């Protein structure tokens, strides 16, 4: 059988790098930044990537109140918030924002200042990466996720309506049954001889219906539903406490961190109750964290105060295109996660059959062993937090949803380390793919975009 010829552009030394000397640096949960310099065999490309997962400062970031985002200070505050040590920031290493970042930021600010925003142009600019600073990412993400309408004159009305709606969701769905019982008691009329019960906010025995009794097993019983929810609530609580334990923003004993954890917990609980078909699936907390972080770091005080409500609706919009990946009943369907992983395998075969054959035929590395996490968590576990935000800029900019762009990025991740994969066996390749090495994110996204326009072999 004649093998397909590998296209010349795949043989470029741009796509691969020599193995680093120490695999231990892949520990992405270290609180200390590590710098890795990667050089390919032909010395064509040298990329320096510094990984930092130290936490954000426990205090709220500086806040302004402009109607439209304004140009940022010389040092981007968002990356400073991600880590107290900004040595990994390319802007800091180069002595400030690059000319390209400044130009892109100016384009975004210009677009955001228009009365009616051109979404096609906004997506084009944002797909190249949103410069950190001045709340640009927060505003742009809300637009990309269709939470804000393109017409700026409608923003205040839409925000007020959605924020009020979320408050009602919390009041109705997160209330303890005891509180519901007390509400029913307050709204009902009582005989004078039962005034003592009223003053103590308790129902008399005769007024407690079967459905309101804590021992009721009826399907409509609010107490029975409460106890059924307990398992999900406990899972959410465990996962929230495990969310980015290396970042002070999400973890620690400070009141700021605890309030952020409580916001994540409330959002996930409300989502689970409003979506009984999916409820909560482990890993949703990892998709929620970047959204909440970005929106909570908005420089506008009102937006910060309402970050929980805004994040909830952005989270709903994000999962609307990904929910099939979290529905176990659809795992084996044409829209389930296994089908999505198969599409990634086919994409790799189309663009690099030699690598595909080595992975899946020779070394028998099943794509599910590594791609399941890549796809379901949108690569949040494969790169440091700042790099994940950069990748999400591109994913959220796709008008068709993040799925197709995500598959191209995953395929590009394989191509970038093809030389190491082709030289490896099952064990080494699986370890490499489950602990993806640091890489230049801009270059990764460039390769992913190349796959969109480059015809397959």
């Amino acid at each position: 059988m004649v093998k397909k010829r590998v296209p010349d552009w795949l043989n470029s030394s741009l796509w691969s790098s020599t193995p680093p000397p120490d695999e231990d640096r892949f520990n992405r949960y270290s609180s200390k930044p590590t710098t890795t310099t990667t050089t390919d065999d032909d010395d064509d490309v040298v990329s320096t990537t510094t990984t930092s997962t130290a936490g954000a400062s426990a205090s709220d970031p500086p806040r302004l109140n402009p109607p439209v985002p304004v140009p940022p200070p010389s040092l981007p505050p968002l990356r400073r918030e991600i880590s107290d040590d900004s040595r990994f920031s390319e802007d800091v290493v180069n002595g400030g924002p690059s000319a390209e970042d400044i130009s892109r930021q100016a384009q975004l600010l210009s677009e955001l200042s228009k009365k009616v925003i051109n979404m096609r142009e906004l997506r084009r600019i944002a797909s190249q990466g949103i410069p950190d600073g001045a709340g640009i990412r927060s505003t742009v993400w809300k637009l990309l996720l269709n939470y804000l309408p393109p017409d700026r004159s409608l923003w205040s009305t839409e925000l007020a309506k959605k924020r009020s709606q979320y408050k009602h969701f919390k009041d109705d769905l997160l209330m303890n049954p005891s509180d519901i019982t007390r509400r029913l008691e307050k709204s009902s009329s009582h005989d004078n001889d039962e005034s003592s019960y009223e003053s103590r906010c308790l129902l008399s025995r005769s007024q407690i219906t079967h459905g309101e009794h804590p021992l009721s097993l009826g399907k409509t019983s609010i107490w029975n539903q409460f106890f059924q929810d307990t398992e999900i609530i406990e899972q959410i609580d465990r996962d929230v406490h495990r969310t980015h334990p290396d970042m002070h923003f999400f973890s620690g004993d400070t009141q700021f961190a605890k309030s952020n954890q409580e916001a994540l917990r409330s959002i996930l609980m409300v989502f689970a109750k409003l979506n009984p078909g999916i409820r909560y699936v482990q890993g949703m907390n990892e998709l929620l964290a970047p959204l909440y972080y970005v929106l909570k770091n908005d420089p506008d005080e009102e937006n910060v105060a309402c970050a929980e409500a805004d994040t909830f609706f952005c989270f709903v919009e994000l999962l609307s295109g990904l929910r099939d990946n979290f529905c176990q009943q659809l795992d084996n369907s044409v829209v389930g996660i296994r089908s999505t992983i198969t599409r990634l395998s086919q994409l790799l075969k189309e663009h690099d059959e030699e690598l595909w054959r080595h992975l899946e035929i020779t070394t028998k590395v099943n794509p599910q062993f590594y791609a399941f996490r890549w796809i379901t968590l949108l690569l949040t576990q494969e790169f440091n937090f700042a790099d994940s935000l950069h990748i999400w800029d591109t994913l959220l900019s796709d008008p068709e949803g993040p799925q197709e762009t995500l598959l191209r990025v995953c395929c590009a991740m394989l191509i970038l380390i093809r030389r190491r994969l082709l030289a490896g066996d099952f064990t080494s390749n699986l370890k490499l793919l489950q602990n993806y090495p640091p890489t230049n994110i801009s270059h990764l996204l460039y390769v992913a975009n190349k796959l969109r326009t480059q015809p397959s072999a």
Side-chain angles (χ1 to χ4, degrees):
M1 180 179 64
V2 178
K3 293 193 297 184
K4 288 184 178 180
R5 179 178 176 269
V6 177
D8 293 337
W9 68 278
L10 279 180
N11 284 324
S12 170
S13 57
L14 290 172
W15 310 140
S16 44
S17 57
T18 56
D22 186 8
E23 294 287 342
D24 290 339
R25 78 196 189 297
F26 295 159
N27 183 5
R28 59 183 54 82
Y29 298 109
S30 171
S31 60
K32 298 180 180 179
T34 57
T35 302
T36 302
T37 300
T38 305
T39 309
D40 72 4
D41 291 347
D42 299 324
D43 294 328
D44 289 336
V45 174
V46 179
S47 61
T48 301
T49 304
T50 311
T51 303
S52 173
T53 51
S57 67
S59 60
D60 287 333
R63 297 169 187 148
L64 306 172
N65 290 281
V68 179
V70 296
S74 58
L75 289 178
L78 183 59
R79 287 198 175 181
R80 288 205 307 271
E81 187 67 27
I82 291 173
S83 173
D84 294 332
D85 185 345
S86 299
R87 283 178 290 171
F88 74 93
S89 172
E90 183 179 351
D91 291 345
V92 175
V93 171
N94 294 334
S98 66
E100 183 181 357
D101 282 347
I102 294 174
S103 173
R104 192 181 310 125
Q105 179 172 281
Q107 294 178 59
L108 286 169
L109 288 169
S110 174
E111 196 61 49
L112 291 173
S113 66
K114 296 179 180 178
K115 182 178 180 180
V116 178
I117 296 169
N118 183 333
M119 290 302 300
R120 182 174 181 178
E121 181 66 10
L122 184 72
R123 291 180 185 279
R124 183 192 67 79
I125 303 171
S127 67
Q128 303 168 39
I130 302 172
D132 298 331
I136 293 179
R137 180 175 273 126
S138 173
T139 303
V140 173
W141 278 20
K142 290 176 184 177
L143 286 161
L144 295 179
L145 288 166
N146 299 313
Y147 178 56
L148 287 178
D151 189 341
R152 293 183 64 241
S153 65
L154 301 176
W155 285 9
S156 59
T157 303
E158 285 295 315
L159 288 174
K161 181 177 67 175
K162 290 295 181 67
R163 290 165 179 176
S164 175
Q165 186 178 5
Y166 179 72
K167 183 179 183 300
H168 287 306
F169 284 156
K170 289 185 69 175
D171 291 343
D172 294 341
L173 299 175
L174 302 187
M175 185 177 295
N176 187 291
S178 296
D179 296 329
I180 299 177
T181 303
R182 291 189 180 96
R183 279 193 176 187
L184 293 173
E185 187 276 339
K186 288 182 178 180
S187 64
S188 62
S189 60
H190 305 285
D191 296 334
N192 291 334
D193 60 342
E194 294 175 338
S195 60
S196 61
Y197 287 98
E198 182 175 2
S199 64
R200 294 160 51 199
C201 291
L202 298 173
L203 286 175
S204 63
R205 184 181 295 272
S206 62
Q207 289 177 302
I208 301 178
T209 65
H210 177 71
E212 297 165 2
H213 196 284
L215 299 182
S216 171
L217 297 178
K219 292 183 178 180
T220 60
S221 168
I222 55 177
W223 279 98
N224 185 36
Q225 184 63 46
F226 174 78
F227 291 130
Q228 288 182 0
D229 290 341
T230 300
E231 183 177 351
I232 292 179
I233 293 173
E234 291 176 349
Q235 180 64 60
I236 290 175
D237 195 57
R238 286 194 298 269
D239 289 350
V240 165
H241 278 92
R242 289 196 291 252
T243 302
H244 294 287
D246 51 333
M247 293 180 62
H248 299 321
F249 182 90
F250 295 106
S251 180
D253 296 328
T254 64
Q255 186 58 40
F256 182 61
K258 290 180 179 179
S259 66
N260 291 334
Q261 289 183 349
E262 184 59 34
L264 297 181
R265 185 181 297 106
S266 297
I267 292 171
L268 293 171
M269 288 169 60
V270 171
F271 180 86
K273 285 179 172 287
L274 290 176
N275 295 271
I278 297 181
R279 309 201 77 176
Y280 172 76
V281 179
Q282 191 171 15
M284 287 183 176
N285 60 304
E286 300 294 349
L287 298 181
L288 177 61
L291 291 174
Y292 182 71
Y293 178 88
V294 169
L295 270 58
K296 188 68 173 178
N297 279 287
D298 193 295
D300 184 87
E301 289 187 1
E302 182 180 359
N303 289 337
V304 171
C306 299
E308 181 182 328
D310 295 345
T311 302
F312 169 77
F313 288 102
C314 288
F315 181 66
V316 171
E317 290 291 341
L318 176 65
L319 282 195
S320 65
L322 303 170
R323 58 185 298 155
D324 292 341
N325 291 339
F326 291 94
C327 187
Q328 188 174 5
Q329 293 86 345
L330 297 177
D331 278 357
N332 296 314
S333 70
V334 294
V335 295
I337 182 61
R338 288 191 175 90
S339 176
T340 304
I341 293 175
T342 299
R343 287 163 55 201
L344 171 60
S345 175
Q346 293 171 345
L347 187 64
L348 177 63
K349 184 178 182 180
E350 291 173 4
H351 289 282
D352 192 344
E353 185 173 355
E354 179 186 10
L355 179 57
W356 170 85
R357 186 175 301 279
H358 181 75
L359 285 176
E360 300 194 25
I361 305 300
T362 305
T363 62
K364 301 188 184 305
V365 176
N366 191 320
Q368 292 188 29
F369 295 160
Y370 59 89
F372 182 89
R373 187 178 70 183
W374 290 9
I375 293 171
T376 56
L377 301 186
L378 297 187
L379 300 174
T380 56
Q381 301 299 291
E382 314 314 316
F383 304 98
N384 69 53
F385 197 77
D387 288 342
S388 295
L389 298 185
H390 189 176
I391 292 173
W392 277 38
D393 292 338
T394 301
L395 298 182
L396 299 182
S397 297
D398 192 329
E400 301 300 323
Q403 192 86 283
E404 294 304 316
T405 299
L406 174 64
L407 292 180
R408 285 191 293 272
V409 173
C410 291
C411 186
M413 289 169 63
L414 296 170
I415 291 174
L416 281 175
I417 56 174
R418 71 186 305 268
R419 191 168 300 173
R420 295 176 62 179
L421 292 172
L422 289 172
D425 56 12
F426 173 85
T427 302
S428 61
N429 283 346
L430 187 60
K431 181 180 179 181
L432 180 62
L433 294 171
Q434 291 183 342
N435 299 273
Y436 195 82
T439 190
N440 184 303
I441 299 302
S442 296
H443 182 57
L444 170 64
L445 296 176
Y446 168 81
V447 176
N449 187 60
K450 185 88 170 178
L451 296 179
R452 180 200 297 268
T453 58
Q454 181 71 35
S456 59

